[in-house]
Amino acid sequence: AKRMAPSGYANPGQPAYVAPGGGGGYVGGGYGQMAPREPKADPHQPTRNLHVSAFGPGATREQVQATFAQYVEVREVIMKEGYCFVNTTSGEDAVKARTALDKVEVGGSVLSVNFAKDRNLNMQKYTAQSYGGMSPNGPNGPNGPNGP
């Protein structure tokens, strides 16, 4: 069945545009199709990074860092409105910090601490998959099977 342009468009009843290669748009594949989103991290699967919410409206980056630094070496704190990410250097110590601080009152609010995606590991995976030929050992790199 041909797809027809819906009424209200310039040429209602005319066949809808179909991009070369079959689909088109967001229906059925082809050009313009969005890539599937990567699933969210399992909040119970340990990573080096923590998602922290309910730390109180007046909390500063320095206060959050000092609170977590008692349990883990903090690499960076990324503050957002109502939550933050505490990125650490050790997955093992991040587990200890989560265990110690989840559901604990800090600054008048009860913290909620879960694990967040490890962006550095995801970025390494992304570049390795997307640019397989760009790394020295990738298929098209100088040390790879298709290299020079």
Side-chain angles (χ1 to χ4, degrees):
K2 283 188 176 180
R3 288 187 283 168
M4 305 302 274
S7 61
Y9 281 78
N11 296 318
Q14 296 294 315
Y17 174 74
V18 177
Y26 296 101
V27 180
Y31 296 103
Q33 185 175 17
M34 294 179 65
R37 291 187 70 165
E38 201 172 314
K40 288 190 172 201
D42 178 352
H44 305 291
Q45 180 67 37
T47 65
R48 296 182 302 173
N49 299 334
L50 300 168
H51 176 272
V52 183
S53 58
F55 48 76
T60 66
R61 173 179 284 118
E62 291 76 20
Q63 290 169 329
V64 172
Q65 182 159 350
T67 299
F68 280 83
Q70 299 171 57
Y71 304 95
V72 64
E73 183 179 339
V74 177
R75 195 166 33 104
E76 69 178 330
V77 175
I78 302 170
M79 299 292 283
K80 303 287 184 174
E81 190 173 326
Y83 67 96
C84 70
F85 294 100
V86 177
N87 298 330
T88 73
T89 59
S90 164
E92 189 175 305
D93 289 341
V95 170
K96 292 176 187 174
R98 179 180 186 261
T99 301
L101 295 171
D102 187 40
K103 310 290 186 251
V104 170
E105 187 175 321
V106 175
S109 295
V110 178
L111 291 181
S112 176
V113 183
N114 288 302
F115 295 106
K117 283 185 181 179
D118 192 327
R119 295 290 178 195
N120 283 350
L121 294 178
N122 285 343
M123 194 60 184
Q124 290 170 1
K125 181 177 103 177
Y126 173 78
T127 55
Q129 287 176 348
S130 298
Y131 302 105
M134 302 302 273
S135 69
N137 297 319
N140 299 318
N143 302 329
N146 301 328

